[in-house]
């Protein structure tokens, strides 16, 4: 089974604008390993340049609506698809949307070549979103995001339960928040996750490529 690593560039100075290009060029030089898929979630204004650096590997950090039209300030699935963006995070703790928006976007992208990664803050949301049958649900406890205690250390029993819920629904489970080390990857995998999301552990590292390489090697 393929293990997915999503590096979320967030809106950090180190990974936005010209520094987004630099960061991405550095990270795509990381070793490739069969059975490991790495995607990069970049900010909206960096999507087009990022697609030319890492085709097929770029996802958006959020998406607003399905179609293009009279939607001021929006980022639509339609636009992302024609721009070569492979998918999007949705409902990240730092960019929450309503349950009905999640439902509409999931139904509207179902069967399309556009992957949604629906973020859930707790088991209740994991259950609700998994029942919509997206490709992926991503469990991230908000209080651990950006910290040094990883989700796999702090919430092992919730990951196991989330993994069981996702398995029943034929949905893949990603986990994130506080992930920093190869050990976090190994533990997440043992608990039933089929991938991780990581931001500060790579993007704010003094050696981002080395940080990502050690995660890839651990899979
Ligand atoms: O989307 C991933 C992110 O929220 C996790 O952040 O800094 O804890 O790896 P971080």
């Amino acid at each position: 089974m393929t293990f997915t690593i999503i590096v979320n560039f967030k809106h950090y100075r180190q990974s936005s604008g010209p520094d987004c290009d630099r960061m991405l060029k550095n990270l795509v030089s990381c070793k490739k390993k069969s059975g490991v898929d790495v995607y990069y979630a970049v900010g909206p204004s960096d999507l087009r340049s990022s697609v030319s650096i890492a085709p097929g590997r770029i996802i958006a950090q959020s998406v607003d609506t399905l179609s293009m039209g009279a939607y001021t300030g929006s980022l639509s699935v339609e636009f992302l698809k024609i721009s070569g963006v492979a998918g999007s995070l949705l409902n990240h703790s730092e960019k929450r949307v309503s349950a009905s928006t999640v439902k509409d976007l999931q139904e509207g992208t179902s069967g399309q070549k556009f992957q949604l990664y629906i973020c859930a803050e707790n088991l209740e949301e994991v259950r609700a979103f998994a029942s919509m049958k997206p490709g992926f649900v991503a469990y991230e406890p908000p209080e651990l995001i950006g910290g040094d205690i990883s989700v796999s250390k702090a919430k092992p029993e919730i990951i196991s339960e989330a993994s069981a819920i996702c398995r029943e629904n034929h949905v893949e489970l990603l986990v994130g928040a506080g992930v920093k080390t190869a050990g976090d990857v190994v533990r997440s995998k043992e608990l039933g996750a089929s991938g991780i999301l990581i931001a500060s552990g790579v993007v704010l590292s003094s050696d981002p490529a080395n940080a990502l390489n050690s995660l890839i090697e651990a899979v």
Side-chain angles (χ1 to χ4, degrees):
M1 188 199 243
T2 302
F3 195 83
T4 301
I5 297 178
I6 296 182
V7 184
N8 185 351
F9 280 30
K10 300 205 172 181
H11 195 49
Y12 286 123
R13 185 174 292 273
Q14 291 88 334
S15 50
S16 300
D19 289 323
C20 174
D21 288 4
R22 260 194 292 278
M23 177 71 69
L24 194 55
K25 283 177 187 158
N26 185 17
L27 295 181
V28 295
S29 70
C30 285
K31 60 177 57 116
K32 312 281 175 281
K33 186 171 173 185
S34 116
V36 185
D37 273 347
V38 182
Y39 293 94
Y40 306 94
V42 307
S45 59
D46 294 319
L47 285 164
R48 280 166 61 83
S49 62
S50 297
V51 162
S52 63
I53 296 168
R57 296 282 143 197
I58 302 301
I59 63 171
Q61 295 176 357
S62 189
V63 60
D64 298 309
T65 184
L66 286 165
S67 320
M68 299 177 79
Y71 307 111
T72 304
S74 278
L75 194 56
S76 64
V77 171
E78 186 182 357
F79 173 75
L80 293 175
K81 283 176 70 183
I82 61 178
S83 302
V85 175
S88 183
L89 300 179
L90 184 65
N91 197 41
H92 190 281
S93 290
E94 294 153 5
K95 194 78 178 166
R96 298 275 285 171
V97 298
S98 67
S100 64
T101 300
V102 172
K103 190 166 182 285
D104 286 352
L105 285 163
Q106 166 50 27
E107 285 174 4
T109 54
S110 165
Q112 290 191 28
K113 216 171 166 280
F114 186 85
Q115 187 62 64
L116 281 185
Y117 302 86
I118 303 180
C119 300
E121 291 188 344
N122 50 46
L123 274 181
E124 200 186 345
E125 288 190 352
V126 168
R127 206 168 279 111
F129 298 147
S131 73
M132 296 177 189
K133 317 277 183 205
F136 293 84
V137 167
Y139 167 59
E140 291 204 305
E143 69 278 12
L144 298 178
I145 291 178
D148 286 325
I149 300 171
S150 82
V151 59
S152 62
K153 285 200 189 85
K155 310 269 185 187
E157 65 300 325
I158 299 197
I159 297 180
S160 301
E161 215 173 314
S163 151
I165 293 167
C166 286
R167 226 181 3 259
E168 273 165 30
N169 286 281
H170 308 287
V171 170
E172 294 200 43
L173 174 71
L174 307 184
V175 296
V179 174
K180 295 280 185 300
T181 66
D184 294 330
V185 168
V186 172
R187 189 69 185 122
S188 303
K189 222 177 140 183
E190 284 169 357
L191 292 166
S194 56
I196 55 140
L197 293 96
I198 184 166
S200 51
V202 168
V203 170
L204 302 186
S205 161
S206 56
D207 187 345
N210 185 46
L212 180 56
N213 267 327
S214 68
L215 301 175
I216 294 171
E217 271 167 23
V219 178

